């Protein structure tokens, strides 16, 4: 099945465009269509339920006359816009097919109207021509019509005017994504600007009680470059900072090697930086754990996959026996967002990161399991509140792909999160979340694969996700704001060294402690030890909220928008002048 294209392709109706702009062979469409339809039907159903039975539309209409009567038609007018915002026109009818029941089947037809005015007019006309005295929606319609003095045209205009006042769906995803990238670029442009330099000068003037002591860290990070060719809907980092003019990777490797035995290579997707990773393994003699984060897009074929994993294993094997025994932790992003089925610019279905590529990695991994530990990193959704996460969604797709190749997936164990969380579809009571699992291929029982999940912080593109799409840490946030953090919960302030010279924090890459090639590592480590803002972040110091409120008037909106404590404290420190003010107040 080939989707048609038109003059609007790539703008209206395309939820997310391809990062690489790859065309998908027409032969793949039959395999991808059921996945796409299942996903979009569930998203549509969940969004309508949120608006209707969940009461979200009535909350949006709070303060409006006859909000109760207006909530239902406005919810489906919202659905009309949602479909155009998220579902390509080639597939809307198929997405709605399963909802064509006898009671509201007429709504599914109306949702395919060409304009919002046609939808509202059709809604009004339906109830005029098909009275249903025992039906709540008909009774609400009668009340609305009476308020409009029986004038159906006036009622249509009243509904459309009210919708316009809500200010929803005013921009396409592409425009929203560009705005997110612009905001992030502006934030990074303040990195080591006048306010940051003034802040660091204040930190430098503080006494250092540990001067002369060699600092050791549980882990450190290396960012060769920040970038990824994909445009995942949940991506928290969308702008690509410039590369440095005088980058010295070996200098970075040597410094990290002196201060830790565990390093994480990250920065979006590092497929283009793999040679640096191999070189680091051959140079950093004290490192025992070399973690690397990739999105799996490199695994175009079984041959290429074996080539990449083979080079990692060869690098490990080449280390002198007098060096620390080392292993690679290969972390592959794998979830409903990275491996989403979407519609590309040509109107064809495509996988963002094809599950077949992840299968290539899982299938090849046992050959190198002595040198590599494979871990699939998963973002928590509603599926994580049961074993559905292992039986539906992207994991089920992976198991099916491996089954085609003659492999059976065997789950060895599962572990729940030590902290209860709320299912966004039924948030009344906290529930257990399936956080980790271990599985093997039946032919390779000695090569376990890890599956570990985490929540998504709601900044970057993730701020645009639907309310029910991700698991939030609101209860933990409330506990920290009222009582302080529970034992063992902290903001990660270990250092990330960028090839371009920046040295930032793990949980806050916008907080820069200096320029490595200019300031030197000793001064930067002293700053990390002395910096009152860094220490306050580490312990989720609630005084930061007071200090933020002294210079900004939107503290409560920041708290309301935060998906968890890490997101909130990240958001409070994003602006350089606020960081300077907080540092002064903490001193």
């Amino acid at each position: 099945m080939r989707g048609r294209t038109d003059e609007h392709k790539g703008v209206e109706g395309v939820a997310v465009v391809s990062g690489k702009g790859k065309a998908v062979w027409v032969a793949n469409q039959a395999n991808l269509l059921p996945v796409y339809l299942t996903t979009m039907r569930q998203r549509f159903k969940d969004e309508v339920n949120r608006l209707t039975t969940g009461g979200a539309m009535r909350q949006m209409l709070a303060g409006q006359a006859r909000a109760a009567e207006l909530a239902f038609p406005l919810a489906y007018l919202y659905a009309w816009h949602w479909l155009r915002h998220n579902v390509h026109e080639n597939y809307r009818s198929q997405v709605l097919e399963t909802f064509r029941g006898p009671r509201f089947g007429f709504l599914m037809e109306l949702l395919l109207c060409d304009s919002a005015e046609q939808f509202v007019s059709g809604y009004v006309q339906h109830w005029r021509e098909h009275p249903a005295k025992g039906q709540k929606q008909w009774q609400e319609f009668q009340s609305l019509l009476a308020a409009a003095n029986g004038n159906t045209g006036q009622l249509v205009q009243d509904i459309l005017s009210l919708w316009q006042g809500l200010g929803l769906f005013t921009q396409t995803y592409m425009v929203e994504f560009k705005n997110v990238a612009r905001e992030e670029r502006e934030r990074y442009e303040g990195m080591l600007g006048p306010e940051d330099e003034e802040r660091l000068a204040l930190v430098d003037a503080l006494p250092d009680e540990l001067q002369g002591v060699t600092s050791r860290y549980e882990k450190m990070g290396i960012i060769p470059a920040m970038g990824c060719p994909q445009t995942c809907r949940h991506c928290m980092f969308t702008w690509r900072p410039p590369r440095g003019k005088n980058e010295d990777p070996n200098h970075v490797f040597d410094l990290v090697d002196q201060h830790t035995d565990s390093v994480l290579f990250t920065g979006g997707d590092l497929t283009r930086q793999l040679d640096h990773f191999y070189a680091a393994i051959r140079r950093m003699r004290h490192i025992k754990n070399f973690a690397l984060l990739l999105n799996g897009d490199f695994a175009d074929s079984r041959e290429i996959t074996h080539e990449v994993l083979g080079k990692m294993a060869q690098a490990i094997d080449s280390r002198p026996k007098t060096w620390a025994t080392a292993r690679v932790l290969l972390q592959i992003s794998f979830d409903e967002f990275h491996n989403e089925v979407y519609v590309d610019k040509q109107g064809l279905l495509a996988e963002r990161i094809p599950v077949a590529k992840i299968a290539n990695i899982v299938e090849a991994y046992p050959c190198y399991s002595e040198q590599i530990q494979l871990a699939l990193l998963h973002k928590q959704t509603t599926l994580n509140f049961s074993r559905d996460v292992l039986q539906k969604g992207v994991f089920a797709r992976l198991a099916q792909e491996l089954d085609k190749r003659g492999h059976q997936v065997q789950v060895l164990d599962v572990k729940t999160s030590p902290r209860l969380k709320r299912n966004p579809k039924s948030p009344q009571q906290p529930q257990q979340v399936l956080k980790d699992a271990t599985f093997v291929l039946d032919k390779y029982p000695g090569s376990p694969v890890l599956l570990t999940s985490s929540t998504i912080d709601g900044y970057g593109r993730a701020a645009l996700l639907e309310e029910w799409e991700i698991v939030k840490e609101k209860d933990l946030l409330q506990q920290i704001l009222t009582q302080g953090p529970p034992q063992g919960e902290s903001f990660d302030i270990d250092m990330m060294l960028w090839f371009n010279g920046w040295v930032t924090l793990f949980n806050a890459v916008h907080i820069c402690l200096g320029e490595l090639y200019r300031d030197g590592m000793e001064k930067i480590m002293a700053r990390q030890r002395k910096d009152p803002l860094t220490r306050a972040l580490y312990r989720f110091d609630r005084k930061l909220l007071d200090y933020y409120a002294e210079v900004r008037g939107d503290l409560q909106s920041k708290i309301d928008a935060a998906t968890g404590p890490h997101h909130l404290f990240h958001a409070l420190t994003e602006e350089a002048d606020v960081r300077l003010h907080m540092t002064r107040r903490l001193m």
Side-chain angles (χ1 to χ4, degrees):
M1 169 182 166
R2 185 179 181 85
R4 64 185 178 88
T5 59
D6 57 35
E7 61 185 12
H8 299 295
K9 66 184 180 183
V11 183
E12 184 180 6
V14 178
V16 186
V17 299
S18 168
K20 293 184 176 179
K22 287 184 176 179
V24 176
W25 297 108
V26 176
N28 290 339
Q29 300 302 288
N31 294 332
L32 297 181
L33 183 60
V35 177
Y36 178 76
L37 292 179
T38 298
T39 300
M40 297 313 299
R41 284 167 179 164
Q42 189 63 53
R43 287 182 60 189
F44 173 76
K45 178 181 178 180
D46 289 337
E47 192 63 4
V48 170
N49 286 343
R50 181 182 73 88
L51 294 164
T52 54
T53 56
M57 180 52 69
R58 189 162 182 172
Q59 292 175 14
M60 294 183 205
L61 299 174
Q64 295 286 342
R66 293 174 295 281
E69 292 84 357
L70 285 162
F72 187 82
L74 265 294
Y76 275 90
L77 182 55
Y78 184 108
W80 184 91
H81 285 275
W82 185 93
L83 283 166
R84 277 137 195 85
H85 199 60
N86 290 279
V87 183
H88 193 281
E89 62 179 339
N90 294 356
Y91 306 96
R92 286 176 200 152
S93 179
Q94 295 177 79
V95 168
L96 295 175
E97 190 62 39
T98 58
F99 303 103
R100 297 178 187 274
R103 187 177 180 188
F104 293 128
F106 77 97
L107 282 171
M108 302 306 110
E109 293 297 330
L110 292 176
L111 288 172
L112 297 175
C113 288
D114 292 332
S115 70
E117 184 173 2
Q118 287 179 0
F119 171 84
V120 178
S121 297
Y123 182 85
V124 171
Q125 181 180 353
H126 171 83
W127 289 122
R128 285 298 299 270
E129 297 177 354
H130 301 87
K133 296 183 179 181
Q135 196 163 332
K136 180 173 179 285
Q137 287 74 27
W138 181 82
Q139 295 169 352
E140 292 172 345
F141 165 75
Q142 290 293 100
S143 176
L144 293 173
L145 186 60
N149 298 316
N151 187 331
T152 57
Q154 183 62 52
L155 177 56
V156 169
Q157 291 307 312
D158 288 347
I159 292 175
L160 290 172
S161 177
L162 181 56
W163 171 261
Q164 290 297 323
L166 294 178
L168 301 170
F169 297 107
T170 58
Q171 297 177 326
T172 65
Y173 271 121
M174 288 302 299
V175 173
E176 290 178 320
F177 285 1
K178 288 179 181 178
N179 289 339
V180 168
R182 174 182 51 78
E183 292 170 1
E184 191 171 332
R185 180 178 65 250
E186 291 173 353
R187 183 162 64 247
Y188 276 107
E189 285 176 348
M191 189 91 81
L192 294 184
E195 290 94 347
D196 270 355
E197 294 291 2
E198 183 177 352
R199 193 185 86 81
L200 293 177
L202 291 174
V203 175
D204 288 339
L206 294 173
D208 184 4
E209 297 178 357
L210 297 177
Q211 186 174 5
V213 177
T214 301
S215 297
R216 295 288 300 176
Y217 301 94
E218 182 179 337
K219 67 182 182 305
M220 297 180 78
I222 293 177
I223 300 180
M226 182 70 81
C228 177
Q230 296 298 332
T231 55
C232 299
R233 292 190 299 122
H234 74 310
C235 186
M236 297 179 288
F237 304 105
T238 56
W239 183 62
R240 312 311 180 199
R243 298 293 299 271
K245 295 181 180 179
N246 301 299
E247 294 182 353
D248 188 348
N250 285 339
H251 182 54
V252 172
F253 297 158
D254 293 344
L255 288 173
V256 172
D257 191 45
Q258 295 172 27
H259 298 286
T260 187
D261 61 9
S262 183
V263 63
L264 168 64
F265 279 70
T266 187
D269 179 66
L270 296 184
T271 298
R272 298 178 182 178
Q273 313 295 331
L274 283 174
D275 286 341
H276 289 302
F277 185 66
Y278 308 145
I281 295 174
R282 291 187 166 95
R283 186 178 184 94
M284 303 173 75
R285 62 182 299 161
H286 300 107
I287 301 297
K288 299 176 182 178
N289 303 301
F290 287 92
L292 171 67
L293 179 59
L294 299 173
N295 63 17
D297 207 19
F298 71 89
D300 288 316
S301 67
R302 287 168 167 167
E303 292 74 21
I304 292 175
T305 306
H306 276 283
E307 178 183 351
V308 172
L309 271 61
K311 287 183 177 179
M312 294 181 193
Q314 290 169 12
I316 290 292
D317 289 341
S318 71
R319 291 166 61 89
K321 295 187 182 299
T322 55
W323 289 13
T325 301
R327 202 172 185 217
V328 170
L329 175 60
L330 177 58
Q331 301 174 319
I332 303 294
S333 298
F334 175 69
D335 49 53
E336 312 305 324
F337 304 100
H338 284 94
N339 306 99
E340 181 180 41
V341 175
Y342 68 103
V343 183
D344 69 11
K345 293 181 179 180
Q346 286 71 44
L348 296 174
L349 296 173
E351 287 179 279
R352 189 158 304 289
I353 307 294
V355 167
K357 293 188 177 185
I358 309 302
N360 287 341
I361 299 170
V362 173
E363 188 178 37
Y365 156 68
C367 298
Y368 312 99
S369 58
E370 289 188 11
Q371 301 90 352
I372 300 172
Q373 172 61 62
L374 176 61
L376 304 183
L377 303 191
H378 183 267
K379 292 303 181 183
Q380 291 175 8
T381 68
T382 57
L383 293 176
N384 286 78
F385 288 90
S386 71
R387 291 184 71 95
D388 281 353
V389 70
L390 302 174
Q391 299 164 354
K392 297 180 180 179
V394 69
F395 192 87
R397 289 161 57 197
L398 175 62
Q400 291 168 5
E401 176 63 30
L402 290 166
D403 182 65
K404 293 177 184 177
R405 305 180 185 196
H407 302 289
Q408 294 297 312
V409 170
Q410 298 177 346
V411 177
L412 302 181
D413 62 38
V414 296
K415 295 179 181 178
T416 58
S417 171
R419 185 169 56 250
L420 300 180
K421 302 179 185 180
R422 294 182 188 268
N423 186 330
K425 294 184 185 179
S426 54
Q428 295 80 9
Q429 293 294 329
Q431 305 172 39
Q432 284 192 327
V433 176
L434 197 155
K435 184 180 184 297
D436 301 312
T438 304
F439 69 93
V440 296
L441 301 183
D442 59 337
K443 297 177 183 178
Y444 305 101
S447 301
V449 180
L450 308 179
L451 175 72
T452 184
S453 67
S454 60
T455 56
I456 298 173
D457 288 329
Y459 49 87
R461 293 194 192 111
L464 304 175
L465 293 174
E466 311 287 4
E467 277 290 317
W468 46 264
E469 284 195 272
I470 59 174
V471 179
K472 299 180 180 180
E473 294 274 22
K474 288 286 192 178
D475 288 347
L476 176 61
L477 173 61
Q478 188 61 29
Q479 178 180 352
I480 287 176
L481 293 182
T482 57
Q483 307 171 34
Q487 186 174 2
E489 193 69 38
S490 62
F491 195 94
D492 194 339
I493 61 170
D494 285 342
M495 290 187 289
M496 312 271 297
L497 278 66
W498 300 53
F499 278 5
N500 70 6
W502 292 344
V503 180
T504 61
L505 307 181
F506 255 78
N507 276 164
V509 294
H510 60 283
I511 296 183
C512 191
L513 297 175
E515 209 284 345
L516 181 64
Y517 306 120
R518 180 197 68 187
D519 300 331
M521 193 61 182
E522 290 300 323
K523 177 180 282 190
I524 290 172
M525 288 190 298
R527 287 170 176 168
Q528 197 251 13
R529 292 193 298 267
K530 299 188 296 179
D531 181 15
L533 178 57
T534 296
R535 311 316 298 181
L537 282 171
Y538 174 76
R539 61 181 181 269
F540 291 111
D541 194 329
R542 288 172 283 173
K543 290 195 294 291
L544 294 182
L545 281 75
D546 298 329
Y547 299 155
Y548 179 87
E550 292 173 354
V551 291
R552 294 290 187 271
D554 61 346
L555 174 62
Q556 190 56 52
S557 65
K558 292 284 189 185
I559 295 173
D560 294 341
T563 54
H566 296 85
H567 179 204
L568 175 62
F569 281 76
H570 184 288
L572 296 180
T573 57
E574 286 177 348
E575 297 174 88
D577 63 318
V578 176
R579 295 194 291 271
L580 175 58
H581 174 75
M582 288 178 171
T583 303
R584 287 170 172 163
R585 294 288 281 118
L586 288 164
M587 294 173 65

